[in-house]
Amino acid sequence: MDYEDAEDFEAPWQAADQAALLTTVVDLSQVTFADSMLLNALLDARRRHDSHGRRFILLGPSSPRSAGFSTSAARGNTSRWKIRT
């Protein structure tokens, strides 16, 4: 997942926001590389969910580092991330 995938990523984010379900699960189990585009999109989605009292869960990868980024980069606070492997 990188800058070139940004347009493909927009529609699912909008659909999740419009559905406004209590929980959104993002499945990253098949992601082998992600640049800052994905990390920023995840941070933005989490903020939107938090502001509306909705849960945001990341499913996989087996390790946050295996996707090419570390959730610790998210302002050093991983306690707000629910990562299910």
Side-chain angles (χ1 to χ4, degrees):
M1 311 233 36
D2 60 20
Y3 180 78
E4 293 177 8
D5 300 311
E7 284 186 27
D8 296 335
F9 222 58
E10 190 58 33
W13 286 131
Q14 288 178 1
D17 286 343
Q18 288 175 354
L21 300 174
L22 294 177
T23 302
T24 298
V25 177
V26 177
D27 184 354
L28 301 175
S29 61
Q30 301 300 308
V31 174
T32 57
F33 172 81
D35 70 4
S36 60
M37 183 280 306
L38 178 59
L39 182 56
N40 286 329
L42 294 171
L43 288 168
D44 288 343
R46 190 199 71 197
R47 283 185 206 109
R48 288 193 310 273
H49 280 68
D50 285 351
S51 70
H52 291 99
R54 298 166 49 216
R55 292 186 333 148
F56 186 76
I57 298 173
L58 299 180
L59 181 63
S62 60
S63 160
R65 294 188 191 284
S66 70
F69 63 86
S70 169
T71 57
S72 63
R75 299 194 178 30
N77 182 356
T78 59
S79 63
R80 296 191 54 139
W81 293 89
K82 295 185 185 324
I83 301 173
R84 308 279 168 94
T85 57

